[in-house]
C-alpha cells in the first residue's frame, strides 16, 4: 500500500528563536490602561446633596433625631455627615472594578487580534524576527535565488533563501530529525533507497545515513550554490555529501522525476515552498512521485508551520489525499 506522510516544520520553527513565536513580536507591547482619574459622573453632586442634608440635620435645632437602642443622637448625626463619603468611596470602587473589567476585555481582544495578525505573517517576516541582532556573513545571488549566511549570538550560523529562514546551526537537528526519522523508523521497516527532493543543505541526507539498511541516497536540488555555501559554512550538516552512498544532482526536481526510471522506498520533499520550488507543490508532481515509489513506499512533505499557516497545510494535505488514495 502506498502511504503519504504529511510532515511539517513546526518543530524547528517554534524552537528557532527559543520561544519567539506565537504571541511574541519584537515590536509588540501589550496595551496598558493609562492611570487617568476616574470619571466621577453624578458622584460629586450626589455627595454635595447628602452632605448638605446631613449638616442641616446636625445643625437645625427644631429637628429632633430619634435615637435607636445602642445609638446616641450624636452618633447618628456623625453618620449623616459620613454618609456622603461612604457613597463616594463605594462609587469609586465600582468605577475601578468596571474599568478593570473593560481593560481586561480590551487586552484580551488586542492579544487575539495580534495572534490572528501574526498567524498571517509570511515566512520572510518570520525570519526577520529571528535575524534581529544577527551579523551578515555572506551573500550569494545565484541564478535562482538570494542565499545569505548570518551569524547569531546564540543560534550560530543561519541560512536564509530569499529572506526565508532555512537552517539554524544550533537547532537544525529538530527539523532534519523530524522529517527523516519519524517516517523511516516508524513507517518503513527496512528502507534501502531514499530520494531527497531539495535538501541542498545536506541535513536530511546526513540523517538518512544513520540507517545501516540504506545504501543509496539521491539528492536532487536545483541550486548548486546552496550546496556550495552550505559546504563552506555547515560542514557537519553537509557531511553526507562526501559519502559514497550519496549522490547529488543539481537539476529541477520536477523535470528529473518525470524522466526517472528508478524506484525508491522513501521520498523526502525537503525544499522551499516558493520561487523556483513552486512546481514541486502541485498535484501533478506528487502524482509523478507516486509513480517512482516502491510498493509500500512513502512520501514525506514539508508543509511549513502548522501554527502559522494552518490553511496552507490543510489544502496541501487535501491534495495529497487525492493522489495517495
Amino acid at each position: 500500500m502506498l502511504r503519504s506522510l504529511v510532515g511539517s516544520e513546526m518543530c524547528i520553527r517554534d524552537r528557532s528563536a527559543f520561544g519567539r513565536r506565537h504571541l511574541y513580536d519584537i515590536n509588540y507591547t501589550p496595551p496598558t490602561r493609562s492611570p487617568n482619574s476616574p470619571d466621577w459622573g453624578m458622584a460629586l453632586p450626589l455627595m454635595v446633596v447628602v452632605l448638605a442634608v446631613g449638616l442641616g440635620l446636625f445643625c437645625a435645632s427644631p429637628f429632633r433625631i430619634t435615637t435607636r437602642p445602642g445609638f446616641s443622637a450624636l452618633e447618628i448625626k456623625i453618620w449623616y455627615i459620613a454618609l456622603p463619603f461612604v457613597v463616594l468611596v463605594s462609587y469609586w470602587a465600582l468605577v475601578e472594578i468596571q474599568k478593570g473589567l473593560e481593560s481586561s476585555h480590551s487586552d484580551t481582544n488586542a492579544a487575539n487580534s495580534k495572534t490572528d495578525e501574526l498567524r498571517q505573517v509570511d515566512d520572510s517576516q518570520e525570519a526577520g524576527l529571528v535575524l534581529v541582532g544577527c551579523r551578515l556573513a555572506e551573500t550569494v545571488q545565484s541564478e535562482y535565488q538570494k542565499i545569505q549566511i548570518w551569524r547569531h549570538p546564540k543560534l550560530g550560523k543561519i541560512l536564509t533563501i530569499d529572506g526565508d529562514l532555512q537552517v539554524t546551526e544550533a537547532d537544525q537537528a529538530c527539523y532534519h530529525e523530524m522529517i527523516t526519522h519519524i517516517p523511516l523508523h516508524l513507517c518503513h521497516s527496512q528502507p534501502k533507497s531514499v530520494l531527497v527532493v531539495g535538501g541542498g543543505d545536506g541535513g536530511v541526507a546526513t540523517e538518512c545515513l544513520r540507517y545501516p539498511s540504506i545504501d543509496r541516497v539521491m539528492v536532487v536540488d536545483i541550486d548548486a550554490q546552496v550546496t556550495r555555501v552550505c559546504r563552506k559554512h555547515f560542514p557537519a550538516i553537509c557531511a553526507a555529501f562526501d559519502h559514497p552512498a550519496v549522490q547529488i544532482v543539481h537539476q529541477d526536481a520536477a523535470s528529473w522525476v518525470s524522466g526517472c526510471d528508478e524506484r525508491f522506498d522513501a521520498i523526502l520533499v525537503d525544499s522551499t515552498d516558493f520561487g523556483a520550488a513552486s512546481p514541486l507543490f502541485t498535484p501533478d508532481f506528487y502524482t509523478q512521485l507516486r509513480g517512482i515509489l516502491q510498493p509500500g513506499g512513502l512520501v514525506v512533505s514539508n508543509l511549513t508551520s502548522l501554527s502559522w499557516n494552518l490553511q496552507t497545510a490543510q489544502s496541501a494535505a487535501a491534495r495529497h489525499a487525492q493522489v495517495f488514495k
Side-chain angles (χ1 to χ4, degrees), residues 132-151:
V132 174
C134 288
R135 179 169 58 87
L136 182 62
E138 183 176 355
T139 299
V140 175
Q141 181 64 55
S142 72
E143 179 183 355
Y144 306 100
Q145 53 209 354
K146 184 178 182 180
I147 307 162
Q148 290 180 303
I149 299 293
W150 305 79
R151 294 183 184 274

Side-chain angles (χ1 to χ4, degrees), residues 268-308:
L268 312 181
V269 182
D270 175 31
S271 67
T272 57
D273 53 2
F274 55 86
S278 297
L280 307 183
F281 288 82
T282 63
D284 291 341
F285 178 69
Y286 279 88
T287 300
Q288 293 175 346
L289 291 183
R290 177 174 180 173
I292 61 174
L293 276 176
Q294 293 279 14
L298 57 90
V299 172
V300 182
S301 180
N302 169 9
L303 291 183
T304 189
S305 298
L306 299 183
S307 57
W308 290 84

Side-chain angles (χ1 to χ4, degrees), residues 77-315:
K77 290 181 179 182
I78 293 175
W79 164 248
Y80 279 129
I81 296 176
L83 180 60
F85 297 99
V86 173
V87 173
L88 181 66
V89 172
S90 299
Y91 181 79
W92 175 83
L94 291 175
V95 168
E96 287 299 305
I97 292 174
Q98 181 181 5
K99 293 184 70 175
L101 293 175
E102 291 176 353
S103 175
S104 176
H105 182 68
S106 176
D107 289 354
T108 301
N109 289 341
N112 292 338
S113 176
K114 192 64 182 180
T115 302
D116 294 338
E117 176 185 342
L118 291 179
R119 289 183 187 276
Q120 302 303 321
V121 171
D122 60 34
D123 289 340
S124 62
Q125 290 173 300
E126 291 179 14
L129 299 179
V130 180
L131 297 179
V132 174
C134 288
R135 179 169 58 87
L136 182 62
E138 183 176 355
T139 299
V140 175
Q141 181 64 55
S142 72
E143 179 183 355
Y144 306 100
Q145 53 209 354
K146 184 178 182 180
I147 307 162
Q148 290 180 303
I149 299 293
W150 305 79
R151 294 183 184 274
H152 191 279
K154 292 184 178 180
L155 300 177
K157 292 183 178 179
I158 296 176
L159 168 68
T160 63
I161 294 180
D162 287 341
D164 178 62
L165 181 66
Q166 300 297 312
V167 174
T168 55
E169 188 176 28
D171 62 359
Q172 54 80 28
C174 298
Y175 169 78
H176 291 133
E177 291 179 359
M178 288 287 287
I179 198 173
T180 305
H181 297 311
I182 289 180
L184 295 185
H185 182 71
L186 299 179
C187 304
H188 204 292
S189 57
Q190 291 291 321
K192 295 183 178 180
S193 59
V194 178
L195 169 63
V196 180
V197 176
D201 55 57
V204 172
T206 299
E207 295 299 328
C208 287
L209 293 181
R210 297 182 183 274
Y211 294 84
S213 62
I214 295 179
D215 55 19
R216 177 165 170 73
V217 179
M218 171 64 72
V219 180
V220 182
D221 191 291
I222 193 172
D223 199 341
Q225 291 297 327
V226 172
T227 302
R228 183 190 67 81
V229 171
C230 288
R231 279 180 174 270
K232 175 181 177 181
H233 293 280
F234 305 101
I237 301 176
C238 294
F241 290 152
D242 296 323
H243 195 280
V246 177
Q247 180 182 355
I248 182 168
V249 175
H250 294 295
Q251 184 180 338
D252 175 40
S255 62
W256 187 91
V257 169
S258 64
C260 178
D261 56 3
E262 184 179 356
R263 288 181 174 267
F264 298 89
D265 294 318
I267 301 176
L268 312 181
V269 182
D270 175 31
S271 67
T272 57
D273 53 2
F274 55 86
S278 297
L280 307 183
F281 288 82
T282 63
D284 291 341
F285 178 69
Y286 279 88
T287 300
Q288 293 175 346
L289 291 183
R290 177 174 180 173
I292 61 174
L293 276 176
Q294 293 279 14
L298 57 90
V299 172
V300 182
S301 180
N302 169 9
L303 291 183
T304 189
S305 298
L306 299 183
S307 57
W308 290 84
N309 297 297
L310 180 60
Q311 185 175 2
T312 301
Q314 289 174 331
S315 59

Side-chain angles (χ1 to χ4, degrees), residues 28-46:
Y28 174 63
T29 54
T32 57
R33 182 166 56 90
S34 59
N36 296 329
S37 299
D39 181 12
W40 294 106
M42 293 296 295
L44 291 178
L46 180 63

